[in-house]
Amino acid sequence: MNTQFSVSPENKPIFIALGFTLVIILIGTGYTLITQGAAPMLMPSYLAQQLQIGAFLGVCAAGMMMVILLGHIDLSIPWTLTAAAMMATTVGGPWAIPAGLAVGLIVGLFNGLGVSVLRIPSMIFTLGVDTALRGLMVAHTGGFAPQTEATPLMRFLAADRVLGIPVALFVWAGVSIAIAGLLSRTGFGKAVYATGAKESAAFLSGIRTKWVIVGAFMISSLCAATAGILLAGYSAKAYQGMGNPYLLPAIAAVVLGGTHILGGRGRYIGTLIGVILIVVLNSVLSIMQMPEAVRQIIYGTVIIGMLLVYGRETTSRN
């Protein structure tokens, strides 16, 4: 009997994340049955609503995975998301969404050049970019809440439903198909894995590693901008700090899905399951009325634990 698929290092975290997801669903269902006499987590309408909210995180995590596969990280996600949403609602009309996406492409290009050409550590450079974006947006709004509104198309993409299914899920599915196809069926995807595994070896083999890094950061920021446009549509407006709750969960979803934090290994299906795990965990914590501080502690603990596991694994292989 061939058990290679089930025991391979790349697939094991995926099964573990899937198992944890099912356990969390059972815990949440048991809790609501005892306290409320009902099981809302098993109702299709409730699950669709939770996945609709989770679509924003899912799009962010898809882009974050591209960067983590290279062994880098993008800490500019929160204000890239916010800046894209603010610019989209400010421009309005048919150019709203292109304006928001353009913000993501520009930020991603800047991040990629800073990391690949200037060789500044991604954690430091993207954190600086995030801070600069925050300052620009505060200057743009004068420190007050923006008075702009989302366009009808933005509201349709984020809040409406087609055949009972939230349109945001279709957007998330489209992004997922694009990222999964890019990683598994294109030369760029193979270059991402090779660069993440060993950048110097990839460069010597003829891969233009600098542009691979630039491309990955542009995809990351573009996904963040897309999430910002969707979130502004869901909220009917943009607001300062709207991207702050998405950074740590996006990283957690990617790591929980089995993508190696040091780069070179990971599958998009794992990130997808990681996002669902985070969404289900959020739902159960909300049902149990856990405060936000406890949620952040849980996210941080999970990431630290996975980092320790990956660190020990890398050390043992070396």
Side-chain angles (χ1 to χ4, degrees):
M1 181 178 179
N2 185 7
T3 59
Q4 182 179 0
F5 177 78
S6 61
V7 300
S8 65
E10 195 172 63
N11 290 306
K12 188 180 294 184
I14 297 176
F15 288 117
I16 293 174
L18 185 59
F20 268 104
T21 302
L22 296 176
V23 169
I24 293 171
I25 291 175
L26 290 176
I27 292 174
T29 301
Y31 179 84
T32 54
L33 283 173
I34 293 173
T35 59
Q36 304 174 15
M41 292 193 68
L42 299 181
M43 297 175 60
S45 59
Y46 180 83
L47 291 174
Q49 180 185 14
Q50 294 302 307
L51 289 175
Q52 180 180 16
I53 299 173
F56 313 136
L57 172 61
V59 174
C60 282
M64 181 67 77
M65 180 185 178
M66 298 294 297
V67 174
I68 292 180
L69 277 174
L70 292 172
H72 293 293
I73 199 164
D74 187 356
L75 299 183
S76 67
I77 292 297
W79 280 91
T80 300
L81 186 156
T82 304
M86 287 187 176
M87 288 298 100
T89 56
T90 298
V91 172
W95 292 101
I97 293 178
L101 296 178
V103 170
L105 290 174
I106 293 171
V107 173
L109 177 62
F110 189 68
N111 281 336
L113 291 175
V115 173
S116 65
V117 177
L118 301 180
R119 309 304 294 179
I120 300 174
S122 59
M123 181 177 293
I124 303 300
F125 192 84
T126 57
L127 182 61
V129 170
D130 187 72
T131 304
L133 286 172
R134 178 172 57 186
L136 288 172
M137 290 303 100
V138 171
H140 170 67
T141 61
F144 300 99
Q147 300 301 309
T148 54
E149 296 182 355
T151 65
L153 179 58
M154 292 168 64
R155 290 195 292 269
F156 169 77
L157 292 174
D160 286 358
R161 298 192 175 206
V162 173
L163 301 177
I165 302 174
V167 179
L169 290 184
F170 291 109
V171 178
W172 183 15
V175 172
S176 298
I177 292 172
I179 295 294
L182 187 68
L183 289 174
S184 62
R185 297 182 179 275
T186 67
F188 177 79
K190 295 177 181 178
V192 168
Y193 282 106
T195 303
K198 190 73 172 180
E199 183 178 350
S200 57
F203 177 77
L204 292 175
S205 68
I207 295 175
R208 303 175 67 180
T209 54
K210 289 183 179 180
W211 292 111
V212 171
I213 295 173
V214 170
F217 272 99
M218 290 182 70
I219 293 172
S220 176
S221 294
L222 184 62
C223 286
T226 302
I229 293 168
L230 291 175
L231 187 57
Y234 187 78
S235 305
K237 63 179 181 180
Y239 52 92
Q240 294 186 21
M242 61 192 296
N244 291 341
Y246 290 91
L247 176 61
L248 194 53
I251 297 172
V254 175
V255 174
L256 284 171
T259 299
H260 202 298
I261 198 68
L262 300 178
R265 188 169 73 245
R267 297 175 60 196
Y268 181 73
I269 184 65
T271 297
L272 192 63
I273 294 174
V275 171
I276 295 174
L277 191 158
I278 294 294
V279 170
V280 171
L281 179 60
N282 254 329
S283 177
V284 172
L285 293 177
S286 297
I287 291 173
M288 294 181 175
Q289 298 182 344
M290 289 287 184
E292 181 64 24
V294 175
R295 300 185 197 186
Q296 296 301 321
I297 291 172
I298 292 174
Y299 293 144
T301 301
V302 167
I303 291 176
I304 292 173
M306 295 299 290
L307 283 171
L308 290 175
V309 171
Y310 282 138
R312 293 179 62 183
E313 180 181 327
T314 303
T315 302
S316 64
R317 290 187 180 185
N318 292 335

